Amino acid sequence: MTRVRFAPSPTGYLHIGGARTFIFNWLYARHQGGVMVLRIDDTDVERNTQTSLDSIYEGLRWLELGWDELYRQSDRLDLHRQAAWAIFEKGLAYRDFMPSSPAIENPSGGWLFHPGMRELSREESDRRANAGEPFVLRFRVPRESRAEIVVSDRVYGTVTKATADLEDFALLRSTGMPTYHMASCADDADLRITDILRGQEHLANTFKHVLIFEALNVPVPNTAHLPLLMAPDGAKLSKRIHGPVVSVTTYRDAGFLPHAFVNFLSLLGWSPKNDREKMSREELVELFSLEGINRSNATINFTDEDPFDPKAVWLNAEHLRALDLDELARRLMPYVQQAGFTNATPEKLRAIVPLIHERIRLLRDIGSVADFFFSAELRPYDPAELIPQKGDAAMAARVLRKAKEVLAAVPGFDHGTLDSALRAAADELKLKAGQMFQPIRVAVCGRKNAPPLFETLEVLGRDTVLTRLDLALGLI
RNA sequence: GGCGCUAUCGUCUAACGGUUAGGACGGAGCCCUCUCAAGGCUUAAAUAGGGGUUCGAUUCCCCUUAGCGCUACCA
């Protein structure tokens, strides 16, 4: 049974890199018919915050993907410590009593270990520990018995590292708290994780993890490291320097559809290799495979002016158009409220939705695209907008008066009736349809760019239309 | 500094060692059209550089360069 895990540490809000890792794990689990574990890696008590924990749950819930099992490392510290001491008992780890500050430089470059500490006899080590001297428990990297560690990554292939280049990493801190490496491996083993999909920044850590798994005498899970998500400035995506543009909640608030967002992120570092772009959740599950994951980092294309990658926006628009109108109306309601149109009813919104569903790219666009449907009064507009192409104020006035007359008298206020009545009126005035429609559109919508006229009039209703026509006449 | 990974249009990506190097977003243009969208068509735009191997390299190997990662009692 395939078991995967997503293991965020609650030291900041959920950002898109984390979301992408979660998505890949989820897709893999579902594709395999396996289990998705969410594990909160909160062993860094100094940096953990409740706020970021909440943000992680909030972000993940918004994705509408879900998980099957939930664990918190802070509930499992005994397990981690037991595992660490088991390694110590096997002689594969040792106590390091050197204070952390003066790091000893190795001539070859990196730090390897504190001289003398590896060789301490068990008796000496026990004696000093019993005397209360603080220590860090370190893994004894087998530099003499083994030349290199080999990792067979499902994405990066065979990667090797000389043991001579691997430092004696810590398992337990002087506080007794497990380090990330210790806690992560002990949990992966205990939770029977079969496949680890995580960011490429962990590829180099995997050598240490192989050593821990072997010392624990458990099978090494398969690993598949994912290329990193980069910012346009070339830096790794960071909450600290790139700010809220990388927060999942920013996308939610702007009105991305969760499945569109998932679709977008799935295409960063992975390809179905058949030119498919827009894919439903089900299609992604069906198509997802480790073979489609590539090895080079992907840059998210955002700028200071526009925080969203144009492709993400396009994909969102595509999913929006594919959405059933009732569901779109339902998803739109919070954004209508957010835009301040508190008088909006579900019925009214539902009537408007067909007119805007091909015209919005983000759900929050409803606020700017459909404002004139909701507001009693139009925002002030330039009366010059009322003047049609190749026309003048007098023509605008004629059009508006004629429109008033026709629309007041028309037997029904539906698309077909309005269409023929207004086209007939245009003929009468010897005007092109466009010249006839523009003044009306501006009078009624307050701007030139708006949904098709007849549908708009129909939704607005005769009273509102007539009132706005009068107002416009007053402006000329 | 040491070690590891990576390198195809601006961005995301495709291409058993043999293609006019394909698709998508974005850009430009045209069409459709009551405006805006949507849609249709057309178009510009890439194999980092240098060596090999091969009849033939985007593809395999080496070097250079660049980027990223790891090098903590952070994860």
Side-chain angles (χ1 to χ4, degrees):
Chain A
M1 168 67 96
T2 296
R3 292 175 58 84
V4 302
R5 51 35 164 217
F6 173 59
S9 61
T11 54
Y13 51 74
L14 182 68
H15 70 112
I16 47 188
R20 205 257 322 228
T21 302
F22 178 86
I23 289 163
F24 278 42
N25 273 283
W26 187 90
L27 289 173
Y28 186 66
R30 290 295 171 262
H31 182 86
Q32 300 286 323
V35 172
M36 172 81 204
V37 172
L38 174 60
R39 189 181 76 206
I40 306 298
D41 278 12
D42 54 354
T43 53
D44 184 359
V45 289
E46 254 91 86
R47 299 202 301 152
N48 293 335
T49 67
Q50 185 61 39
T51 313
S52 49
L53 186 58
D54 293 341
S55 156
I56 288 167
Y57 286 135
E58 188 186 356
L60 292 181
R61 267 196 292 267
W62 175 67
L63 294 178
E64 298 177 357
L65 296 179
W67 52 86
D68 304 311
E69 297 175 17
L70 172 67
Y71 304 93
R72 277 242 228 172
Q73 284 196 323
S74 52
D75 295 334
R76 305 163 58 82
L77 297 174
D78 286 345
L79 174 81
H80 310 146
R81 289 192 192 102
Q82 277 168 26
W85 287 113
I87 293 172
F88 173 80
E89 289 302 332
K90 290 180 185 173
L92 301 175
Y94 62 92
R95 295 190 186 94
D96 177 354
F97 295 97
M98 291 284 280
S100 58
S101 27
I104 294 165
E105 287 297 321
N106 185 283
S108 68
W111 178 94
L112 285 182
F113 54 86
H114 288 138
M117 292 294 121
R118 285 188 129 221
E119 297 77 19
L120 236 43
S121 71
R122 178 63 190 271
E123 293 69 33
E124 167 92 7
S125 177
D126 287 348
R127 190 185 56 72
R128 288 173 72 168
N130 287 335
E133 200 174 330
F135 62 86
V136 167
L137 195 70
R138 290 190 183 282
F139 196 94
R140 189 190 304 276
V141 174
R143 278 180 283 270
E144 301 76 17
S145 59
R146 188 129 64 125
E148 57 185 22
I149 315 287
V150 179
V151 166
S152 297
D153 191 79
R154 299 284 300 273
V155 173
Y156 287 89
T158 302
V159 186
T160 61
K161 173 126 179 166
T163 49
D165 293 321
L166 200 55
E167 76 281 3
D168 285 351
F169 53 93
L171 261 22
L172 251 31
R173 307 174 224 219
S174 54
T175 56
M177 281 292 280
T179 61
Y180 159 72
H181 301 300
M182 185 67 251
S184 178
C185 293
D187 275 333
D188 286 340
D190 185 67
L191 299 173
R192 302 257 179 268
I193 299 301
T194 57
D195 298 83
I196 298 175
L197 280 70
R198 76 219 316 182
Q200 195 238 45
E201 73 265 27
H202 288 296
L203 185 55
N205 288 330
T206 308
F207 302 106
K208 301 169 192 170
H209 298 179
V210 166
L211 252 16
I212 296 178
F213 286 124
E214 287 176 354
L216 255 20
N217 203 22
V218 297
V220 180
N222 294 317
T223 64
H225 285 86
L226 276 21
L228 265 20
L229 262 27
M230 312 296 285
D233 62 10
K236 181 185 161 187
L237 230 41
S238 141
K239 309 161 191 183
R240 193 173 50 79
I241 62 180
H242 300 110
V245 300
V246 301
S247 168
V248 167
T249 52
T250 303
Y251 287 77
R252 178 199 62 193
D253 296 344
F256 276 85
L257 256 13
H259 53 284
F261 184 70
V262 167
N263 190 172
F264 171 65
L265 289 184
S266 75
L267 256 13
L268 258 23
W270 173 78
S271 163
K273 297 188 188 294
N274 59 181
D275 289 342
R276 289 293 304 279
E277 302 283 343
K278 178 187 167 231
M279 286 166 280
S280 70
R281 182 154 309 179
E282 294 69 30
E283 288 169 324
L284 284 171
V285 168
E286 171 71 28
L287 261 19
F288 188 80
S289 81
L290 263 25
E291 287 68 42
I293 299 176
N294 45 31
R295 287 172 289 280
S296 50
N297 296 341
T299 301
I300 299 195
N301 208 1
F302 61 80
T303 63
D304 290 338
E305 302 79 56
D306 184 358
F308 303 121
D309 190 312
K311 193 158 186 171
V313 176
W314 170 76
L315 264 177
N316 197 58
E318 288 287 304
H319 279 97
L320 236 28
R321 283 177 214 122
L323 220 52
D324 164 88
L325 294 182
D326 289 317
E327 186 181 350
L328 178 55
R330 203 165 58 243
R331 287 190 182 266
L332 237 18
M333 189 47 99
Y335 295 86
V336 173
Q337 301 289 342
Q338 183 184 299
F341 306 129
T342 45
N343 60 331
T345 61
E347 294 70 31
K348 179 157 194 182
L349 179 57
R350 183 59 184 80
I352 293 166
V353 161
L355 302 193
I356 53 94
H357 86 291
E358 279 196 353
R359 266 163 265 268
I360 58 173
R361 299 184 306 162
L362 301 172
L363 292 172
R364 72 163 176 212
D365 291 345
I366 184 82
S368 53
V369 168
D371 55 342
F372 56 86
F373 284 116
F374 297 110
S375 309
E377 294 189 8
L378 254 23
R379 284 213 319 271
Y381 58 90
D382 181 358
E385 302 267 279
L386 290 164
I387 298 169
Q389 285 286 308
K390 294 179 184 149
D392 52 19
M395 185 191 285
R398 251 186 305 141
V399 166
L400 293 174
R401 271 194 297 275
K402 182 71 179 174
K404 223 183 101 180
E405 173 196 327
V406 168
L407 294 176
V410 96
F413 223 69
D414 59 280
H415 181 285
T417 312
L418 293 168
D419 189 331
S420 43
L422 287 173
R423 282 185 196 279
D427 282 346
E428 248 182 79
L429 296 179
K430 297 198 169 34
L431 293 176
K432 288 185 180 170
Q435 290 176 308
M436 179 78 197
F437 299 161
Q438 186 189 309
I440 305 175
R441 174 178 295 113
V442 173
V444 152
C445 303
R447 71 173 94 100
K448 285 180 180 173
N449 299 343
L453 188 57
F454 312 127
E455 291 90 330
T456 302
L457 297 179
E458 185 176 346
V459 170
L460 247 15
R462 196 191 307 254
D463 292 346
T464 303
V465 170
L466 261 19
T467 306
R468 290 183 185 180
L469 251 19
D470 269 333
L471 252 30
L473 241 11
L475 292 174
I476 289 184

